[in-house]
Amino acid sequence: MEINGEQVTDLYYYADLDLSPAIRQALDKKGYVQATPVQGGAIPAFLAWKDVVAKAPTGTGKTFAFGIPMVEHIDPDSSDVQGLILAPTRELAIQIRDELRDLCAFKEGVRVVCLYGGQPIDKQITQLKNKPQIVVATPGRLMDHMKRRTVRLDKVETVVLDEADRMLDMGFIQDVTRILDKMPQRRNLGLFSATISREVMDISWVYQRDPVEITVRPVEENKPDIQQYRIDLTDRSQKLDTTVALLQGGQYERAIAFCNTKNMTDRLAGLLKMRGISCEAIHGDIQQRVREKTLQKFKEGQIRVLVATDVAARGLDIDDVDAVFNYDVPDEQEYYIHRIGRTGRAKRHGVAYTLVAGVTEGIRMDEIARNTRTQIPILKYDKDGCLLPVEDIRD
């Protein structure tokens, strides 16, 4: 990890981070002792009311990096909103809310509310009447509440943009700047991101002062343990049979299959069900309450395969996915990285299969391998129907 350009190799423990007994008790309940590098760098800076720009890979504990100091700063006796976290997707916002509530388990009087589209706004207005001190929101829905005057941000002291690159890339930059301009008492701003884009730097230049810059590089010991495979097929119709064969042969108990379109997601889920595989689809056109129920069933092991569009590639609180299937080759390299990042988490071994049919998908996959500088073994069916490395077939 680097802090302001200097290499830092220290190990961080929560016991050494000057945390309150309430937060320590919440961490002990979860069995957490050692902080991740991004937490060790960001927590002291946030506690000192400094601005932070943190670049860290997915799954490195960014939520607790800003969540712990935010909860520490909250005055439970105040009914004002004091902390605001903006997230690009509903799933990520819900995940952050749940993790913050865990942190608040022993700090009485701290209330957290989550505001996102797809849920009745009247229900959220009722929750806001309970005077939460922390608001987690997607930018669009927060703007709706601001226009209705159902939420006030004039007393907010700490603001965090989680997955800032993704949020700004999704076109939320105008909403974000309008929201930031409505908080005259803001004392610090945190930008947490897997990549630092030009848009993220623009926000930093305008709204931050001498930020602490934290960079956690995906060095070998921090990289997830993911074995990647590319399977070249002669025809797209082979993808279903291949997916089923890999699921059964690998005995994967929990897997995610990614498709590029909502239509293909629904179609694949239906085809897998016809093959006797328990699965459900999740994408943007499915009602939020149904999506939440599906995710819960997947976490509890009631569903073996989750078929998803890239809406599920970020922000899902799922740590034990055995395998990821790229049923469609993603259109962008970034999607590929976030898709396969659903497996191999929490120091578990994971595997990712990408099914390639046709010249176009082959070209895209070549570009992904080249740009990520990854050697991805290519598998292909031989004349006897056995899946083998391309080199063995040539021999």
Side-chain angles (χ1 to χ4, degrees):
M1 177 178 67
E2 295 177 5
I3 299 180
N4 292 334
E6 294 187 10
Q7 191 70 33
V8 177
T9 58
D10 299 343
L11 295 179
Y12 296 93
Y13 295 89
Y14 293 118
D16 301 324
L17 293 179
D18 194 27
L19 304 178
S20 67
I23 293 293
R24 289 287 306 281
Q25 194 173 355
L27 293 169
D28 290 343
K29 183 180 178 181
K30 284 182 162 289
Y32 295 163
V33 175
Q34 184 174 332
T36 65
V38 69
Q39 292 167 2
I43 289 173
F46 261 117
L47 288 174
W49 295 105
K50 294 180 180 178
D51 290 335
V52 171
V53 177
K55 176 185 175 183
T58 301
T60 51
K62 294 194 285 288
T63 302
F64 275 17
F66 58 75
I68 288 174
M70 179 176 285
V71 173
E72 291 282 36
H73 281 151
I74 294 299
D75 176 7
D77 296 326
S78 171
S79 59
D80 296 319
V81 178
Q82 302 161 48
L84 172 66
I85 301 166
L86 294 176
T89 66
R90 291 171 283 192
E91 287 75 20
L92 181 57
I94 292 168
Q95 176 192 333
I96 294 169
R97 177 203 62 192
D98 293 344
E99 293 196 37
L100 290 182
R101 285 180 175 172
D102 288 344
L103 285 174
C104 297
F106 301 98
K107 189 164 182 177
E108 293 184 10
V110 179
R111 295 173 294 277
V112 184
V113 72
C114 189
L115 310 176
Y116 53 86
Q119 185 186 57
I121 199 164
D122 290 342
K123 181 179 179 180
Q124 295 175 358
I125 291 172
T126 300
Q127 293 173 334
L128 288 167
K129 289 179 180 177
N130 292 326
K131 305 296 183 183
Q133 296 95 347
I134 299 176
V135 170
V136 185
T138 53
R141 179 49 64 97
L142 182 60
M143 289 291 292
D144 289 342
H145 281 283
M146 291 169 65
K147 291 172 184 175
R148 291 169 178 256
R149 301 182 185 272
T150 51
V151 65
R152 292 185 58 177
L153 305 177
D154 55 311
K155 299 296 177 62
V156 170
E157 294 185 314
T158 298
V159 184
V160 171
L161 272 58
D162 194 17
E163 297 207 352
D165 56 336
R166 176 68 169 162
M167 185 155 42
L168 301 177
D169 185 54
M170 289 169 67
F172 286 126
I173 189 163
Q174 287 189 341
D175 286 347
V176 168
T177 55
R178 288 193 189 106
I179 292 167
L180 290 173
D181 290 338
K182 294 293 184 181
M183 293 176 284
Q185 295 195 31
R186 177 175 53 82
R187 296 180 64 180
N188 61 345
L189 170 63
L191 302 177
F192 286 77
S193 195
T195 60
I196 303 299
S197 64
R198 176 57 189 267
E199 290 78 10
V200 174
M201 290 309 303
D202 287 344
I203 293 290
S204 176
W205 290 333
V206 175
Y207 292 97
Q208 292 186 315
R209 295 294 177 267
D210 299 320
V212 175
E213 298 182 10
I214 300 168
T215 302
V216 178
R217 301 189 184 281
V219 292
E220 204 60 44
E221 58 266 28
N222 288 333
K223 280 186 176 179
D225 180 14
I226 305 171
Q227 179 61 59
Q228 302 174 55
Y229 293 105
R230 164 180 170 169
I231 301 178
D232 281 1
L233 305 171
T234 56
D235 190 87
R236 185 175 176 83
S237 62
Q238 293 179 298
K239 287 194 175 189
L240 179 63
D241 288 338
T242 302
T243 300
V244 172
L246 291 169
L247 280 167
Q248 307 294 32
Q251 297 183 331
Y252 301 119
E253 296 180 1
R254 192 168 305 179
I256 301 180
F258 284 104
C259 301
N260 289 348
T261 66
K262 300 168 188 175
N263 181 58
M264 192 63 234
T265 301
D266 289 330
R267 186 178 169 198
L268 177 59
L271 291 170
L272 290 175
K273 286 179 183 177
M274 291 173 63
R275 297 292 186 96
I277 296 171
S278 61
C279 67
E280 294 290 345
I282 179 172
H283 55 68
D285 283 352
I286 295 174
Q287 290 184 350
Q288 183 63 26
R289 61 178 179 80
V290 177
R291 291 162 66 179
E292 291 175 21
K293 185 177 180 180
T294 298
L295 289 174
Q296 190 60 38
K297 288 168 67 176
F298 184 66
K299 291 179 186 179
E300 294 172 353
Q302 299 178 40
I303 299 171
R304 186 179 178 190
V305 180
L306 187 69
V307 187
T309 55
D310 287 295
V311 71
R314 285 191 184 232
L316 293 187
D317 185 20
I318 302 170
D319 289 332
D320 53 353
V321 174
D322 301 317
V324 165
F325 294 85
N326 288 311
Y327 196 82
D328 293 326
V329 177
D331 293 325
E332 297 182 27
Q333 171 190 322
E334 182 185 7
Y335 292 158
Y336 178 83
I337 294 169
H338 289 123
R339 285 182 182 187
I340 69 169
R342 295 300 95 200
T343 187
R345 306 190 77 176
K347 298 190 182 298
R348 292 183 176 90
H349 174 72
V351 61
Y353 299 100
T354 301
L355 309 184
V356 179
V359 175
T360 302
E361 287 194 328
I363 292 172
R364 281 211 305 270
M365 199 57 206
D366 288 340
E367 290 176 351
I368 288 170
R370 182 170 60 253
N371 293 334
T372 58
R373 298 179 182 177
T374 305
Q375 292 290 332
I376 303 176
I378 302 176
L379 307 180
K380 200 168 185 178
Y381 286 104
D382 67 2
K383 57 183 174 56
D384 297 319
C386 296
L387 196 60
L388 297 172
V390 169
E391 289 79 4
D392 291 350
I393 294 176
R394 289 170 181 166
D395 293 343

